[in-house]
Amino acid sequence: MPEGLVQIGEVAERLGLSLRTIRHYEEVGLVVPARTQGGFRLYSEEDVQRLALIRRMKPLAFTLEEMRDLLEITDRLARGDDDPGLVARLQLFERAVAERADRLREQLAMAREFAEQLRRQRLSAPKPTPAH
């Protein structure tokens, strides 16, 4: 195997993604791994980092199109593209992440309150009498 490249199983294990999910991201063009002559996928560290970014976006309900857009921005910036529009677009993503994270925190707080309410109900419920 070429130096610095890893197979899909190692990527899946490192990132906690399923093989199916990684293949799906390849099918939709979010990541394009190298291939061996035998057709095995080989992922560079850059590919792994792209998948890690995608993995972070998923719980925040970003669409595939939004993921594609952010990856284009980060790719262009990494290549030294100094288009000021890129930074502005990146700032929009920063705001969207902050807003979505706030919503998730609110949902988590509500879920915790609900769990606590159920726990209190269970503890205050009449105890069943043992059958003889």
Side-chain angles (χ1 to χ4, degrees):
M1 186 172 357
E3 185 70 28
L5 298 177
V6 295
Q7 291 183 340
I8 192 169
E10 184 175 332
V11 175
E13 187 175 319
R14 278 178 57 184
L15 298 179
L17 294 171
S18 70
L19 300 179
R20 184 173 178 260
T21 296
I22 295 170
R23 288 184 193 114
H24 173 69
Y25 291 145
E26 179 186 357
E27 288 169 12
V28 297
L30 295 178
V31 65
V32 183
R35 295 271 187 165
T36 66
Q37 287 183 342
F40 290 101
R41 294 166 175 85
L42 295 177
Y43 294 85
S44 66
E45 189 56 35
E46 181 181 312
D47 294 328
V48 174
Q49 292 310 309
R50 287 175 74 83
L51 288 165
L53 178 66
I54 293 164
R55 187 176 143 273
R56 289 182 190 104
M57 293 180 80
K58 190 69 177 153
L60 297 173
F62 282 98
T63 65
L64 290 174
E65 191 55 45
E66 289 169 321
M67 291 176 187
R68 193 174 286 112
D69 188 35
L70 180 59
L71 290 168
E72 178 198 347
I73 293 166
T74 58
D75 288 348
R76 287 177 60 188
L77 289 171
R79 289 192 304 266
D81 190 332
D82 61 356
D83 178 351
L86 293 175
V87 173
R89 286 168 55 199
L90 192 58
Q91 287 174 321
L92 291 175
F93 273 102
E94 282 182 87
R95 277 188 233 118
V97 167
E99 290 168 5
R100 292 173 189 207
D102 285 343
R103 276 197 302 266
L104 281 176
R105 277 189 283 278
E106 290 169 9
Q107 290 174 342
L108 180 58
M110 287 174 51
R112 286 182 173 150
E113 288 172 16
F114 182 47
E116 180 58 25
Q117 178 186 8
L118 293 176
R119 187 186 73 78
R120 284 193 308 268
Q121 274 186 304
R122 178 181 49 82
L123 292 175
S124 66
K127 306 293 183 247
T129 56
H132 287 71

